[in-house]
């Protein structure tokens, strides 16, 4: 498992963004840390350009030791596009439109273990793939963490695609995946799930092309129902095989959170999941999430 090393020497830009330092690659799969910047303050144009360059190159960008309100997190995310406001059943209670809460708490504020759920964040997924236009990037800000564990893993699906045999690349070229929220959940009348499950399914390419870099990446994970046009058994076997391939250790970066970390990542070439390596029924894990709108996968 690749883990976050201590922050080392950083490469510095020349010119206006010299105070914004991009550290060395955190792993072969993804990751770079940024220092010399306070995200609670407005972002200069040169700093924004440096950060977005790092985002395209490293796919996961880590900002340690930040102090952010939900509103300041929203303002920072707005530098990179239109922020997608959160909605859905039950969102009004503990979630704000500007940055909603990701936690292991129940309605009474008590820790609960939901890791076995078919729609759990503890399964490999890319955010909102069941939307016609999924988000470009996601940001998480660490508010409260377990004493140990509670990591997030990121799998580089562009690296995974490049490592496929040529015969497999030819086989999957042009295939399209049907995504539907809760595809693995089965039928349920639970009110909290009904609104999401009633959304129509969407079709996305199994191999998508990154709009900024042109790199090809696998697009799959939780909420992927099946591959259009394939028999059910063949579809399930192929999706399972590709997911296991895409999440091999050499394609994965693991972020070990510290309170105050803000992490942003590229949904167009990454899968991610929370890691249930702590006592979910005892320890609190609270993060604030913001997503920025993207473009339809092609």
């Amino acid at each position: 498992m690749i883990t976050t090393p201590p922050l080392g020497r950083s490469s510095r830009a020349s010119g206006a963004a010299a105070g914004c330092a991009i550290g060395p690659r955190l792993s072969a799969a993804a990751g770079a840390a940024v220092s010399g910047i306070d995200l609670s303050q407005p972002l200069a144009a040169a700093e924004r350009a440096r950060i977005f360059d790092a985002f395209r190159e490293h796919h996961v960008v880590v900002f340690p030791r930040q102090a952010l309100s939900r509103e300041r997190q929203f303002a920072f995310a707005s530098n990179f596009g239109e922020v997608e406001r959160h909605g859905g059943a039950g969102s009004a209670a503990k979630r704000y439109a500007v940055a909603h809460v990701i936690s292991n708490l129940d309605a009474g504020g008590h820790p609960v273990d939901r890791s076995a759920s078919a729609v759990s964040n503890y399964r490999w997924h890319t955010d909102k793939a069941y939307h016609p236009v999924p988000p470009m990037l996601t940001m998480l800000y660490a508010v409260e963490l377990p004493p140990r564990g509670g990591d997030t893993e990121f799998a580089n699906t562009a690296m995974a695609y490049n490592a496929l045999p040529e015969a497999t690349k030819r086989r999957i070229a042009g295939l399209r995946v049907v995504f539907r929220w809760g595809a693995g959940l089965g039928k349920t009348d639970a009110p909290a799930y009904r609104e999401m499950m009633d959304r129509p399914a969407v079709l996305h390419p199994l191999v998508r092309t990154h709009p900024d870099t042109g790199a090809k990446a696998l697009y799959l994970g939780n909420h992927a129902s099946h591959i259009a046009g394939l028999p059910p058994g063949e579809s399930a076997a192929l999706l399972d095989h590709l997911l296991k391939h895409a999440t091999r250790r050499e394609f994965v970066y693991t972020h070990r959170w510290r309170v105050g970390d803000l992490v942003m990542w590229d949904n167009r070439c990454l899968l991610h999941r929370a890691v249930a390596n702590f006592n979910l029924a005892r320890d609190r894990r609270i993060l604030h999430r913001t997503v920025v709108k993207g473009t339809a996968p092609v």
Side-chain angles (χ1 to χ4, degrees):
M1 179 180 292
I2 302 167
T3 58
T4 310
L7 296 183
R9 294 179 59 190
S10 299
S11 58
R12 287 193 173 271
S14 59
C20 177
I22 312 298
R25 185 87 162 195
L26 295 174
S27 78
V34 179
S35 61
I37 190 166
D38 179 358
L39 300 185
S40 69
Q41 301 302 311
L43 198 64
E47 291 173 327
R48 179 211 172 273
R50 287 269 291 153
I51 290 167
F52 202 69
D53 284 347
F55 172 76
R56 280 192 295 254
E57 180 180 354
H58 301 293
H59 317 304
V60 178
V61 183
V62 180
F63 301 88
R65 298 178 290 277
Q66 300 297 319
L68 295 173
S69 66
R70 286 179 173 89
E71 290 73 20
R72 284 309 312 163
Q73 182 173 337
F74 181 95
F76 173 65
S78 298
N79 286 282
F80 305 102
E82 182 181 354
V83 175
E84 183 173 316
R85 293 176 181 267
H86 181 73
S91 64
K94 63 178 180 179
R95 297 172 178 178
Y96 293 179
V98 291
H100 75 274
V101 176
I102 298 289
S103 81
N104 65 324
L105 307 182
D106 63 16
H110 307 294
V112 62
D113 186 348
R114 302 188 186 96
S115 60
S117 168
V119 293
S120 170
N121 288 331
Y122 295 89
R123 297 173 182 262
W124 287 109
H125 65 287
T126 179
D127 283 338
K128 302 186 179 184
Y130 46 84
H131 284 196
V133 182
M136 171 181 70
L137 67 82
T138 300
M139 296 180 183
L140 277 183
Y141 174 65
V143 177
E144 189 172 347
L145 298 171
R148 289 178 297 278
D151 307 335
T152 298
E153 293 181 329
F154 300 91
N156 187 325
T157 57
M159 287 181 68
Y161 174 80
N162 288 337
L164 287 171
E166 291 301 319
T168 302
K169 291 179 182 178
R170 290 192 296 270
R171 179 188 177 194
I172 65 178
L175 294 180
R176 295 175 68 79
V177 179
V178 177
F179 286 91
R180 180 175 58 81
W181 189 91
L185 190 61
K187 293 184 178 180
T188 179
D189 292 322
Y193 293 153
R194 279 267 49 97
E195 178 186 345
M196 300 296 288
M197 293 191 76
D198 287 343
R199 295 185 179 202
V202 299
L203 275 167
H204 292 310
L206 176 57
V207 180
R208 68 175 295 178
T209 302
H210 197 289
D212 294 337
T213 67
K216 293 185 180 299
L218 296 171
Y219 199 61
L220 69 175
N222 206 25
H223 306 297
S225 171
H226 60 279
I227 298 174
L230 292 188
E234 182 181 351
S235 168
L238 182 55
L239 285 174
D240 183 64
H241 168 74
L242 291 174
L243 184 62
K244 287 178 179 176
H245 169 79
T247 56
R248 282 163 37 184
R249 289 295 95 187
E250 61 264 39
F251 305 140
V252 172
Y253 161 66
T254 301
H255 184 70
R256 291 184 171 167
W257 291 94
R258 292 170 291 184
V259 171
D261 282 356
L262 183 133
V263 177
M264 59 184 276
W265 67 86
D266 194 334
N267 284 300
R268 301 166 296 182
C269 59
L270 295 173
L271 292 165
H272 66 280
R273 69 176 179 182
V275 184
N277 58 349
F278 67 104
N279 189 330
L280 282 80
R282 182 194 65 199
D283 299 328
R284 295 161 60 92
R285 183 179 186 269
I286 304 173
L287 304 104
H288 293 167
R289 186 177 79 157
T290 306
V291 298
V292 173
K293 291 184 177 181
T295 55
V298 296

